[in-house]
Amino acid sequence: IDLAESIQACDSLLLDAGNRGATFLWSTNETTQQITVRSPDTYQVTVTNGEGCHSTKVVNATITTSPVIELGDDLSTCEGTTATLIPEVVFNATASLSYNWSTGQQEQEIIVGQPGVYQLTVRDENGCTASDQLSLTIDPLPALDLGADISRCGIEGQEQDQLTLKTGLSEMTHLWGSEVGLSGTADSLGIRDDGRYWVTVTSAAGC
């Protein structure tokens, strides 16, 4: 019977007594050539050939539970910013884990700024591994341009004609401000007074 006396495995172990065509009796009461075990224990198999000769083998199986990690849901971030990938260790049977990201980095947490799929594989002290991955999407910034500064002629004491500042980004949220106290939340702002005006535009993605 070609089985090692001591075997270590992660999560489950396939025991194969070989000797195809013989009869088998395991200490688990199974009678197949192969059995799958998931608990650390001592397992015994007796193999009997066609002539009635039999042999017995005892195997000490050490089975440890693999770590479990989660990277969470897919992420999106805005152009020009980064995201920090922080794995959650749901289960770990040993004192420490080693980390190996698809980027080649070996830190527990990494900072990324390029779109793509990021995968993390961890390994515990028993050699058991776990993997998870997520996708990072980079959302573009709004293409905002109010044009050049405006200069106009006027008559002293006479009200200026109204000018309209417009972003052309009606599907986004707006927050206008000015040094003359004028504000608004529409995609355009009507102005009469001289001064400095500004607008913050936010896309549906929060950029």
Side-chain angles (χ1 to χ4, degrees):
I1 303 174
D2 188 17
L3 277 173
E5 294 181 356
S6 180
I7 305 176
Q8 180 172 333
C10 302
D11 301 320
S12 66
L13 174 63
L14 177 66
L15 297 177
D16 188 345
N19 297 282
R20 184 181 299 273
T23 60
F24 307 88
L25 179 61
W26 295 85
S27 53
T28 60
N29 290 322
E30 294 170 273
T31 57
T32 55
Q33 177 183 328
Q34 300 176 339
I35 65 171
T36 299
V37 296
R38 293 177 172 81
S39 301
D41 206 342
T42 298
Y43 296 90
Q44 178 178 298
V45 61
T46 298
V47 179
T48 304
N49 64 17
E51 286 74 38
C53 300
H54 65 270
S55 178
T56 298
K57 188 65 173 285
V58 176
V59 178
N60 181 30
T62 302
I63 301 174
T64 56
T65 303
S66 295
V68 179
I69 60 166
E70 292 182 0
L71 287 177
D73 297 332
D74 291 342
L75 297 176
S76 63
T77 190
C78 298
E79 179 183 350
T81 65
T82 59
T84 302
L85 306 187
I86 305 175
E88 177 187 358
V89 180
V90 179
F91 176 81
N92 179 26
T94 63
S96 63
L97 293 172
S98 62
Y99 296 83
N100 186 18
W101 293 88
S102 54
T103 61
Q105 295 165 276
Q106 296 182 337
E107 296 81 9
Q108 181 173 352
E109 304 174 7
I110 63 172
I111 298 174
V112 294
Q114 297 298 319
V117 176
Y118 293 86
Q119 179 173 304
L120 170 64
T121 299
V122 300
R123 181 183 299 272
D124 68 14
E125 295 170 355
N126 296 318
C128 300
T129 63
S131 296
D132 196 14
Q133 67 180 33
L134 62 72
S135 176
L136 177 66
T137 301
I138 304 298
D139 294 311
L141 299 177
L144 177 63
D145 185 6
L146 291 178
D149 291 344
I150 300 172
S151 177
R152 58 181 179 172
C153 301
I155 301 174
E156 186 176 353
Q158 182 175 327
E159 186 178 55
Q160 297 274 19
D161 291 336
Q162 177 173 288
L163 293 176
T164 299
L165 303 179
K166 190 174 180 65
T167 65
L169 302 171
S170 58
E171 72 281 4
M172 301 185 183
T173 60
H174 293 67
L175 182 60
W176 293 89
S178 69
E179 61 186 13
V180 298
L182 186 64
S183 62
T185 57
D187 64 337
S188 62
L189 183 70
I191 63 173
R192 293 185 185 276
D193 299 324
D194 293 343
R196 189 167 64 94
Y197 297 83
W198 58 87
V199 62
T200 300
V201 177
T202 304
S203 68
C207 300

